[in-house]
């Protein structure tokens, strides 16, 4: 099962996964950490590493296999607003209120590049990496959209969003192929096309949009402040509204036909996405104010030892069942489980069908021979 990780205003990182229980599916908590001393603002996951930035000016790296803090990056002098791993997981890009964008290598966690005034000294609010890992987009307090060449390590070009009718941009996200990206500003959701290098469609909502999530290159979900979720089809300019919450939809994530969403009051929900339907699977209240959400795709690699023990137990049960099935005519005798004997040793059991008995110890033979020699 995939694992959803959420960040909260209270500084906690919480993990939840879908698990079956009594003919139903629930969201069960898997872990909880409090590595931050203030609110968590952003999350990003690549491989086994989870990066989280907060208002305490630090980036915390957590190893999701061991569930322990791996390292802490203190490279910024302001609130860390955005963190983004490259899709290959080789580098981490971070943006802060101090106006800088820092590129860190994940192998040794050393800084490779710093743009101190990425947006003219204004706060950097959002960074997203293209699926090809060749470029990244960022927006900041100067109301500009900047493109960064990640191969050459330098800025490529800048777009003044004010001239395009975009005011106060808050979020930007790429489509799965990377040909389109969505940009939120005020009451609008703008869909831009990289191939055409311009605005393609604009969706004006009846309530202020707070977050977007692409499902494919033509469809995306939009979360609104009134608690509704809109499914928008770009090519057909068609929108369908679903009533999801009574309060603002804070963040969303889509994976494997499941949509995970969280409201500002702490209600986390899982939805199954059909062609024209959004069916609620389950929900839970985490009793915290959610700020961000991310997906851990390496859930199957966590806690290998416990999984091995469980597999061993399961295989033991299956072996007993097979033996009982082989002898259908024989009577089934229930035996109490054998108690573990004290001491660190291995007990070897022999089958009753084997005629040969275990070999005698050599020490006993030597003693007998000594006795015979003495009598002679």
């Amino acid at each position: 099962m995939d694992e959803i990780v959420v960040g909260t205003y209270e500084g906690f990182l919480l993990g939840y996964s879908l698990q079956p229980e009594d003919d139903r599916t629930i969201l069960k908590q898997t872990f909880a950490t409090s590595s931050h001393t203030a609110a968590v603002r952003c999350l990003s996951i690549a491989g086994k590493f989870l990066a989280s930035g907060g208002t305490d000016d630090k980036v915390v790296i957590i190893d999701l296999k061991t569930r322990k803090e791996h390292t802490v990056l203190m490279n910024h002098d302001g609130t860390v607003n955005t963190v983004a791993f490259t899709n290959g997981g080789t580098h981490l890009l971070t943006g802060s209120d101090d106006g800088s964008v820092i590129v860190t290598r994940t192998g040794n966690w050393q800084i490779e590049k710093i743009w101190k005034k990425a947006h003219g000294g204004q706060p950097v609010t959002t960074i997203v990496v293209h699926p090809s890992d060749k470029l990244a987009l960022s927006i900041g307090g100067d109301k500009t959209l900047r493109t960064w060449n990640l191969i050459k390590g330098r800025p490529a070009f800048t777009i003044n969003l004010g001239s395009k009718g975009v005011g106060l941009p808050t979020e930007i996200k790429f489509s799965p192929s990377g040909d389109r990206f969505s940009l939120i500003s005020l009451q609008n959701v703008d869909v831009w096309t990289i191939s055409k290098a311009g605005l393609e469609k604009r969706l004006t909502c009846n309530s202020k949009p707070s977050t977007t999530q692409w499902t494919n290159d033509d469809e995306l979900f939009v979360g609104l402040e009134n608690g509704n979720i809109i499914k928008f089809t770009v090519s057909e300019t068609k929108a369908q509204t679903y009533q999801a919450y009574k309060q603002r939809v804070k963040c969303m994530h889509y994976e494997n036909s499941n949509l995970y969403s969280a409201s500002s009051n702490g209600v986390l929900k899982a939805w199954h996405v059909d062609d024209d339907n959004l069916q609620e699977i389950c929900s839970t209240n985490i009793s915290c104010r959610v700020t961000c959400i991310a997906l851990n795709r390496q859930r199957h690699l966590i806690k290998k030892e416990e999984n091995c023990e469980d597999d061993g137990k399961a295989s033991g049960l299956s072996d007993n069942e097979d033996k009982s099935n082989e002898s259908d005519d024989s009577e089934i005798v229930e035996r109490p489980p054998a108690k573990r004997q004290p001491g660190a040793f291995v007990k070897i059991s022999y089958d009753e069908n084997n005629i040969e008995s275990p070999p005698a110890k050599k020490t006993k033979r030597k003693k007998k021979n000594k006795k015979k020699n003495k009598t002679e």
Side-chain angles (χ1 to χ4, degrees):
M1 283 290 183
D2 293 331
E3 183 180 32
I4 288 294
V5 182
V6 295
T8 64
Y9 276 109
E10 291 76 12
F12 296 106
L13 292 174
L14 306 173
Y16 289 87
S17 64
L18 288 172
Q19 296 184 7
E21 183 180 281
D22 298 334
D23 297 333
R24 64 190 182 97
T25 305
I26 63 170
L27 278 166
K28 187 176 181 181
Q29 184 174 335
T30 54
F31 76 96
T33 63
S34 58
S35 299
H36 289 274
T37 57
V40 180
R41 296 294 297 273
C42 49
L43 288 175
S44 183
I45 296 177
K48 67 174 184 176
F49 290 120
L50 163 67
S52 60
T55 55
D56 52 2
D57 304 351
K58 65 181 182 181
V59 178
V60 178
I61 309 298
I62 294 177
D63 191 335
L64 290 173
K65 286 186 179 180
T66 60
R67 305 296 192 180
K68 294 181 180 179
E69 189 177 292
H70 184 73
T71 186
V72 178
L73 306 178
M74 302 292 294
N75 302 327
H76 290 284
D77 295 327
T79 298
V80 181
N81 296 316
T82 177
V83 292
F85 278 106
T86 57
N87 295 279
T90 57
H91 293 81
L92 174 68
L93 283 74
T94 57
S96 171
D97 277 350
D98 58 9
S100 65
V101 173
I102 299 178
V103 182
T104 306
R105 180 177 286 275
T106 56
N108 50 14
W109 303 105
Q110 298 297 317
I111 296 175
E112 285 205 350
K113 191 71 177 180
I114 299 180
W115 292 293
K116 291 185 178 180
K117 294 184 178 181
H119 284 267
Q122 296 295 319
V124 181
T125 56
T126 303
I127 299 174
V128 290
V129 180
H130 192 267
S132 65
D133 284 347
K134 294 181 179 180
L135 60 91
L137 300 179
S138 67
I139 54 178
D142 58 350
K143 299 180 183 179
T144 60
L145 174 65
R146 296 182 183 266
T147 304
W148 307 92
N149 190 329
L150 299 183
I151 296 176
K152 296 182 178 180
R154 64 186 184 187
F157 54 89
T158 304
I159 298 176
N160 187 356
L161 294 176
S163 63
K164 303 290 184 180
V166 179
L168 298 176
T170 56
E171 186 188 79
I172 183 171
K173 283 187 179 179
F174 274 112
S175 65
S177 67
D179 185 50
R180 289 170 171 163
F181 64 88
S182 59
L183 183 65
I184 294 178
S185 64
L186 299 178
Q187 297 282 119
N188 303 323
V189 177
D190 297 337
V191 177
W192 294 56
T193 305
I194 292 182
S195 59
K196 297 179 181 178
L199 179 64
E200 182 182 1
K201 292 286 179 67
R202 172 169 289 180
L203 173 65
T204 302
C205 307
N206 56 1
S207 179
K208 186 178 179 180
S210 55
T211 182
T212 60
Q213 179 61 50
W214 290 87
T215 58
N216 52 50
D217 294 329
D218 193 39
E219 295 179 348
L220 73 157
F221 285 100
V222 181
L224 305 179
E225 285 202 347
N226 61 5
N228 293 338
I229 295 177
I230 296 177
K231 184 180 180 181
F232 180 55
T233 305
V234 179
S235 60
E236 300 177 1
T237 317
K238 182 178 67 175
Q240 189 173 358
T241 305
Y242 303 96
Q243 187 175 359
Y245 299 95
K246 294 182 179 180
Q247 295 187 4
R248 175 179 55 171
V249 181
K250 183 62 179 178
C251 48
M252 295 186 297
H253 190 92
Y254 175 81
E255 191 77 19
N256 298 330
S257 299
N258 288 336
L259 178 69
Y260 302 93
S261 62
S263 66
S264 55
N265 62 351
V267 178
L268 181 65
K269 289 186 178 182
W271 311 81
H272 180 70
V273 180
D274 288 336
D275 294 334
D276 296 323
N277 242 341
L278 191 64
Q279 299 177 354
E280 181 179 341
I281 301 174
C282 58
S283 65
T284 184
N285 193 335
I286 67 174
S287 302
C288 292
R289 293 177 294 172
V290 180
T291 58
C292 48
I293 193 170
L295 180 71
N296 175 22
R297 297 179 178 86
Q298 304 294 324
R299 173 68 179 161
H300 61 284
L301 298 178
I302 298 170
K303 298 181 181 179
K304 286 186 176 180
E305 295 181 357
E306 292 185 3
N307 292 335
C308 290
E309 291 176 2
D310 294 339
D311 293 340
K313 291 177 182 178
S315 63
L317 290 173
S318 62
D319 291 338
N320 293 333
E321 289 175 0
D322 291 338
K323 288 179 181 178
S324 62
N325 291 332
E326 285 177 2
S327 56
D328 295 333
D329 300 330
S330 60
E331 296 180 357
I332 300 174
V333 180
E334 295 183 359
R335 296 180 182 178
K339 295 182 179 180
R340 183 179 179 275
Q341 298 181 5
F345 60 90
V346 179
K347 186 177 179 181
I348 303 173
S349 60
Y350 296 89
D351 296 334
E352 296 177 357
N353 298 329
N354 291 340
I355 300 173
E356 297 179 358
S357 60
K361 294 183 179 179
K362 293 182 180 180
T363 54
K364 291 183 180 180
R365 288 182 179 179
K366 288 182 180 179
K367 288 180 181 179
K368 289 180 181 179
N369 292 334
K370 285 183 181 179
K371 289 180 181 180
K372 286 180 181 180
N373 292 331
K374 286 181 181 179
T375 53
E376 289 177 357

